[in-house]
Amino acid sequence: MAVSRICCVLAIFFSLVLGHCVLNIEATHHVYRNLQTVSSSSSNQPYRTGYHFQPPKNWINDPNGPMRYKGLYHLFYQYNPKGAVWGNIVWAHSISKDLVNWTPLNPAIYPSRPSDINGCWSGSATILPDGKPAILYTGIDPNNQQVQNLAYPKNASDPYLKEWIKIPQNPLMAPTRANGINSSSFRDPTTAWLGKDGHYRVLIGNKRDTRGMALLYRSKDFVHWVKAKHPLYSAKGTGMWECPDLFPVLSKSMFGVDTSVDGPFVRHVLKVSLDDTKHDYYLIGTYDAKKDKFIPDTGFQNVNSVLRYDYGKYYASKTFFDDAKKRRILLGWVNESSSVADDIKKGWSGIHAIPRAIWLHKSGKQLVQWPVAEIEKLRANPINWPIKVLKAGQHLQVTAITAAQADVEVSFEAKELEKAEILEKWMDPQVLCSRKGAAIKGGLGPFGLLAFASKGLKEYTAVFFRIFKYQNKPLVLFCSDQSRSSLNKNNDLTTYGTFLDVDPYTENLSLRSLIDHSVVESFGGEGKAVITARVYPTLAINDEAQIYAFNYGAADVKITRLNAWSMKKAQIN
Ligand code: DQQ
C-alpha cells in the first residue's frame, strides 16, 4: 500500500516536473497517459459539491444521451473509471426522478467491440416512434478512427435501461477514402429528427481544414445512414465542432417541443462546442426542411460576437425534450479551474451545471435559461430583506444561511444613470470586466454579490454589474471576477464577462447565484446571460464562507429584492 502510494506520488512528480507525458492529441482533451489510472485517498474535500452533479470520484466530462424514459430521467456522461484525468472513457449512467437527486447505475456503454475498443465518446439518445430509445455514439476503433455506433436497450421494458446492446452492423458511419472525412474530426452525433419524408436526420461534428461543420446523415431505418452532399451548416475559421445540437424552439412560448417538431411558430437553434475556444456558441435561425440547410439570423462572422450559453466555464452541453413538463432542458459540463496536480490530489475532476430550462426570449434574439424549478425544493432557511439602499462604497452581509451552499436572488434598481462611466470605444466585455474588476471603484457600479468571501475579505468571488454610457445609451456589463477567489494562485483565476441586454431605465438588474463549495453559477437579467465559475477558496470554506451584497460605485443603488436560502444536500450520485 505504502509502496504503491510512493510510486503514485513519484509518477505524478515526474510527469508534472518533466511534463513529458502531456500529449495534446488533435482529437480533444489533454491526455496525461501515465496519470489515467492514478487514484487518490484524500479525505480533505472542501470543494466537493453539495447539489451539483458529480460522481464520488474520478474524471467526468460531457453529458451524453439525456432523456426521460418511463418516468425516469437518464443521464449518461463521459467518465474515467480509473483516475482524475481524461482517459479510459466509458458512458457512466445515473437516473433521477427530479433532475436533482441522482442514483448511479453501472456504466451503460463501455469499450467491447472493434468499433469502440479505444473509447466510447459522446453521443445522444433519440426516442423512436415506437417509444423506444436508441443511442448513437462515437466509438474509437483499433486504428484510432472516429466512427458512429448504435446501441439499443436490451430490455426496453426496464425503466432503468441498465443494459445496452450494440448492433452487429456497427460502425454505421465511418470515414472512408471516398467520403474524404478526417478520421480524427468526426464525432458526437446529435439526437436524430424525423423529416416529413419519413427519413431520420442526424448531425455529426466535423471540420475540413479550419472550417467547422455539422455533417448531415439521413436514414430510413436508423441503421443505414447516407451522408448528405452538403453539411447542414458550416463556418470558416471556427475549427472542430464538437457536440453539435439542433433543436426547435417556439417563437412566443416558454414551452419546449420535441426535436422533430417544425412549423410556422418554430425557430431553430444550432449549438456547437468549439474545440479551439472551449466554449458553447449558439445561432438562432431557420431550418429549411426541403434543402436540409440551417440559415442563421446572424452567422459566425466574428466568433466573439456569437451568443454563448454561458460566459464562464461550460462546455459540451446537450439539450433534451422533457415530455412530462413540456420543456427543453440543457445540461452542461463544468471543468475544473485547478491544476492537474490538485485534481489528482482530490481524486476527481469535473461537475455538471444545474439542469436549466431553455427557451427563446420574446424578442426572438436570444435564449433564456433558468435552473429547473425542482432545484428549489432544496431551499431552506429563507432570508428576505426589506427594500434597502446600498450606499456607495458599502457592503452588507447576507447572514443566517450556509454561505458555501446557497441560492441567492437579488435585484438592484440603479437609476442615477448620469453617474455612469462613459465608454468611449467598444471593448470586449471579458477584457472590460478584468480591467475593471470588483475592486475598481466606478460610477454606477460595480454592485452585486461577493460569494465565498472570507472574514476581512482576503478572498472573495465577485459577481456584479457595472453600467456604462456608450453612444449616449446605458450599457450593462455583467462580470464574474475570480481574481481574488483563492490564495492558491495555481488556479485559473480568469475573470469572465458579457454585456447584458437589459435597459436599466425600465428594468431592475436581477442576479441569481447558485453557490456550491467550488462553483458559482450566476444568472443575470432573469436568465438572459449566465456565467459559471469554478473557485477554490483556502479561507472561505464551509462555515468560514460569507456572502455580501456590495456596491463599490459612486452612486447609491437600491436593493429592491433579496431572497436567499441555504441549500440542502442533494443525492448527487
Ligand atoms: N469529449 C468527448 C468527445 C467530444 C469531447 C470525448 C467534448 O466525443 O468531442 O470525451 O468535450
Side-chain angles (χ1 to χ4, degrees), residues 4 7-9 11-12 31-40 57-59 80-89 344 347:
S4 72
C7 289
C8 208
V9 170
I12 297 169
V31 179
Y32 302 88
R33 284 249 186 272
N34 51 352
L35 302 179
Q36 285 178 349
T37 51
V38 175
S39 61
S40 148
K57 59 179 185 175
N58 297 333
W59 164 277
N80 178 357
K82 296 181 181 162
V85 301
W86 183 86
N88 312 306
I89 292 294
I344 288 169

Side-chain angles (χ1 to χ4, degrees), residues 164-471:
W164 290 79
I165 294 187
K166 299 167 186 174
I167 65 163
Q169 293 93 325
N170 285 331
L172 306 183
M173 296 165 240
T176 61
R177 202 169 280 170
N179 63 30
I181 292 171
N182 177 345
S183 65
S184 63
S185 308
F186 180 54
R187 56 183 180 268
D188 309 338
T190 59
T191 295
W193 70 99
L194 194 54
K196 289 210 174 77
D197 56 4
H199 290 224
Y200 295 98
R201 276 107 172 128
V202 79
L203 302 178
I204 317 287
N206 177 234
K207 72 169 175 184
R208 199 176 305 141
D209 301 321
T210 59
R211 177 178 279 276
M213 58 187 76
L215 296 180
L216 179 78
Y217 277 77
R218 298 190 189 93
S219 172
K220 231 176 159 170
D221 57 3
F222 223 81
V223 173
H224 300 92
W225 292 89
V226 177
K227 183 173 153 309
K229 197 162 168 215
H230 300 288
L232 182 95
Y233 186 64
S234 74
K236 64 174 185 210
T238 51
M240 176 61 190
W241 287 9
E242 298 190 307
C243 305
D245 193 17
L246 179 78
F247 57 92
V249 283
L250 293 175
S251 47
K252 294 265 181 283
S253 166
M254 289 164 70
F255 284 116
V257 283
D258 182 67
T259 311
S260 296
V261 168
D262 204 355
F265 301 107
V266 167
R267 308 247 49 220
H268 274 81
V269 176
L270 176 66
K271 183 280 300 188
V272 295
S273 303
L274 291 194
D275 196 18
D276 288 359
T277 65
K278 290 283 179 239
H279 297 309
D280 281 11
Y281 302 81
Y282 69 87
L283 304 171
I284 299 167
T286 305
Y287 165 56
D288 180 335
K290 283 206 187 93
K291 294 193 185 135
D292 263 332
K293 291 240 147 161
F294 176 73
I295 305 117
D297 296 349
T298 49
F300 255 115
Q301 285 80 354
N302 173 4
V303 169
N304 287 334
S305 58
V306 178
L307 292 163
R308 276 166 51 183
Y309 281 159
D310 195 302
Y311 292 85
K313 204 151 247 193
Y314 192 83
Y315 195 63
S317 62
K318 193 174 292 294
T319 64
F320 74 101
F321 173 58
D322 174 4
D323 61 337
K325 299 208 167 158
K326 307 286 175 234
R327 57 187 175 172
R328 188 157 282 274
I329 304 283
L330 171 69
L331 302 168
W333 165 44
V334 187
N335 198 0
E336 301 301 307
S337 292
S338 45
S339 67
V340 172
D342 282 350
D343 294 345
I344 288 169
K345 223 185 283 161
K346 68 190 199 295
W348 56 273
S349 176
I351 62 170
H352 283 178
I354 297 302
R356 304 169 184 173
I358 183 166
W359 65 93
L360 187 65
H361 186 260
K362 57 182 186 293
S363 66
K365 287 196 213 142
Q366 65 159 114
L367 296 171
V368 184
Q369 302 164 64
W370 200 246
V372 291
E374 289 89 329
I375 203 75
E376 293 169 22
K377 67 184 181 193
L378 297 177
R379 287 171 166 178
N381 314 331
I383 299 297
N384 184 358
W385 282 8
I387 294 176
K388 57 177 91 179
V389 172
L390 199 54
K391 293 212 167 307
Q394 197 178 20
H395 56 263
L396 295 176
Q397 192 180 349
V398 181
T399 53
I401 55 167
T402 54
Q405 201 173 297
D407 183 357
V408 185
E409 292 196 63
V410 58
S411 284
F412 299 93
E413 186 184 279
K415 285 278 185 272
E416 290 185 63
L417 290 161
E418 64 287 354
K419 291 207 178 140
E421 295 160 77
I422 303 219
L423 187 68
E424 303 283 0
K425 237 182 26 209
W426 192 90
M427 208 190 263
D428 180 310
Q430 181 168 357
V431 173
L432 198 50
C433 284
S434 47
R435 290 212 188 139
K436 289 183 179 277
I440 310 285
K441 297 205 174 2
L444 199 45
F447 54 83
L449 295 174
L450 302 179
F452 296 116
S454 63
K455 287 184 195 108
L457 297 184
K458 272 207 182 120
E459 285 181 340
Y460 58 81
T461 296
V463 188
F464 62 89
F465 303 105
R466 198 185 269 272
I467 304 176
F468 291 91
K469 209 178 286 159
Y470 176 64
Q471 298 182 336

